[in-house]
Amino acid sequence: MKGRRIVVTGLGAISPVGIGLEENWKNLLAGVPGCGPITLFDASEYRSQVAGEVKDWDPSEYLDPKEARRMDRFTQFGVVAADEAIRHAALKVKDPERTGVIIGSGIGGMIVYENQHQALLKGGPRRVSPFFIPMMIGDMVAGLVSIRHGFKGPNYCTVSACASGANAVVDAAMMIANGSADVMVSGGAEATITHMAVAGFSSMKALSTRNDDPARASRPFDLNRDGFVIGEGAGILVLEEAQHAMDRGAKILAEVVGWGLTADAYHMTAPAADGEGAARAMRLALETAEMAPEDVEYINAHGTSTPLNDKIEVAAVKRVFGEHAYKLKMGSTKSMTGHLLGATGSFEAVVSTQAIQDGKIPPTINLTDPDPDCDLDHVKDGMVEMEINNVISNSFGFGGHNVALAFRRFEP
């Protein structure tokens, strides 16, 4: 991390608690629940009937209607959130060849895949749309953002399950750090509240079945948590080399100062029982940031509301931070948004940046009966206002992927 510094200059967000950065941040601080009954399809026969859906989504408000029809829902989210982040950064690119896009997705265009499979079964191969493949593939958000804005630098999609968005931010930061680019648009997008996705996650008993109380189904660190709530949305950040941002007079929101990337090498879906991989990712993030554990005021937890993940993540934090673990704040915004899968890491990177900017930490809602194994300060009593200089944001994914991102208040 010596030499070229990486700063955040723009943010874009779409989630179950809002469309746009301002609405998201206001509702997160207010503890507004974004989870409810599934309405995107008839889920009456499913074990889990709860989701975090993006409400009142009309892509024609943000995109040309013809253009929007040629995008899967996840692509619409990603492109619109990227547009917002670029506007927020007031980005005027002078060198498009040194401006890139890395936007991840854990699953990609599952809605169009299911719809086109039905068209194939009912009408044969001639009924499959010529737009099926470009609408489905996960890299299309990055491709379309590049095309819309003329960015010709590094361009691709990261896929690491629920760590995809965080991996995209790390890759983008690395591109700037190693001199491959000066500006990167990075993040994740996901929209998989579909028949197959909900059925699949339900079959593996990963989802909450609190169908009679959907607004309180996502309850990280609570003794009565019973699974995650599937969500959708996008989180996008504009990253820049610090001098590049200062030269153009950009408002710098935070600095990306470190990251840790590790693998559990343990199990397809379960985290390593001792949290070793997660702990190692956090240690690496601190080391690359040259940050002492005692410097961290806030951890935006992966905090999925699953029985295993929450207590193992807490154990990993205790391993890394020792007694300081009991002094920092460790909240989970998934209590409000549900789990945005491949978009969750970058959405929570947006939250981490905003926390530094505003000096405010969103609450963990629905935490009414704390698990004795989750005994840190999980911000259960409402939004906390305090000076925040250093933040860690955790993201973990099926396959044993671990990503920890370190953000710091920017000092020239």
Side-chain angles (χ1 to χ4, degrees), residues 56 142 148 244 286 375 396 407:
D56 304 317
R148 286 169 71 82
H244 182 280
L286 292 172
D375 59 347
F396 314 130
F407 296 88

Side-chain angles (χ1 to χ4, degrees), residues 1-9 91 98-102 154 156 168-186 237-245 255-256 259:
M1 295 298 296
K2 299 294 185 184
R4 290 170 64 86
R5 298 170 69 184
I6 304 108
V7 298
V8 184
T9 57
L91 187 60
R98 294 191 57 78
T99 305
V101 186
I102 304 175
Y156 59 91
V169 176
V170 172
D171 280 19
M174 286 179 172
M175 289 289 178
I176 295 171
N178 70 22
S180 297
D182 295 324
V183 182
M184 295 293 298
V185 179
S186 64
L237 299 85
V238 174
L239 305 185
E240 292 187 57
E241 191 274 324
Q243 192 60 53
H244 182 280
E255 184 173 2
V256 182
W259 48 77

Side-chain angles (χ1 to χ4, degrees), residues 184-203:
M184 295 293 298
V185 179
S186 64
E190 202 82 271
T192 57
I193 304 173
T194 71
H195 293 276
M196 285 295 294
V198 175
F201 282 122
S202 291
S203 291

Side-chain angles (χ1 to χ4, degrees), residues 270-287:
D274 59 0
E276 182 276 335
R280 194 155 36 88
M282 285 184 274
R283 284 198 187 100
L284 287 170
L286 292 172
E287 287 173 14

